Structures are given as structure tokens and as C-alpha cells.
Amino acid sequence: QVQLVESGGGLVQAGGSLRLSCAVSGSMFSINAAGWYRQVPGKQRELVAAITSGGGSANYADSVKGRFTISRDNAKNTVYLQMNSLKPEDTAVYYCNAVVLTSSLNKFDFWGQGTQVTVSS
């Protein structure tokens, strides 16, 4: 059983910063690619940022480029999303996603439960 637990969401004023964390735990060998998505009511979930297994490459949605940074600490099995210069349109539920090589040597796609980020104007 693999679990992803997000933390760090909350209410912040426009222009402020938040740092989201996603801790991955359970019966696994490694975390492959990982990413952060977000969703607002009535809209599809969208990719915000993604990072490769080694952390050497990342890609971002155009709307967050230059403001958000994804990173990972493989020793801690944790993925982060540093969000700066937040805007009201960044308000959403943020979900962590990871492709995990489980202890049974299968790769599965796992999701966290989501954390609410609210940016006030």
C-alpha cells in the first residue's frame, strides 16, 4: 500500500507564497516521475508542474512559469511545490501525483487526497 499525503495548503493574500509538500510512503522501491495538479469546481484537473525521477528536469504550465518551482528529495520520498507571487486565479485544490515502483515491482500511478489553496485579492 502506497500513500501520498499533501500538506502546506491554506489561505494567503495575493503576492504571497506557500510551499506544498507531498510525502510518499508505503511498500515501494522508488518514486519515478511526480507532479502537481490542480482543480477548481466545474473544470478539469490540470497539470501545474512535473519533475523527473532524478529531479534533473521539470516542466510547468505556462500560467505558473517563473512563479512556481517543483523539487524533490528522494531520500525523504517527498515532492515539493514552492509557489511565489500567488494570484487569485491560483485558487484550487492541489493534488500530488507520483508514479511509484512498488515492492512487487509494478509501476502504478498514485494520487494524494488534495490540499486547498486559496488566494485572496
Side-chain angles (χ1 to χ4, degrees), residues 41-120:
K43 291 192 176 181
Q44 282 192 323
R45 192 171 295 187
E46 64 171 357
L47 175 67
V48 174
I51 190 167
T52 54
S53 57
S57 180
N59 62 282
Y60 299 89
D62 287 343
S63 59
V64 307
K65 280 180 182 176
R67 300 188 297 122
F68 290 10
T69 303
I70 188 171
S71 62
R72 60 192 293 163
D73 184 338
N74 287 339
K76 295 182 178 179
N77 290 329
T78 301
V79 182
Y80 304 97
L81 185 68
Q82 179 66 45
M83 304 185 294
N84 299 328
S85 301
L86 283 161
K87 304 175 180 179
E89 52 263 43
D90 294 318
T91 295
V93 178
Y94 284 71
Y95 296 91
C96 179
N97 170 264
V99 177
V100 176
L101 180 63
T102 67
S103 56
S104 58
L105 300 181
N106 293 303
K107 283 186 182 180
F108 290 107
D109 206 14
F110 291 92
W111 291 88
Q113 81 287 353
T115 186
Q116 177 70 47
V117 171
T118 302
V119 185
S120 62

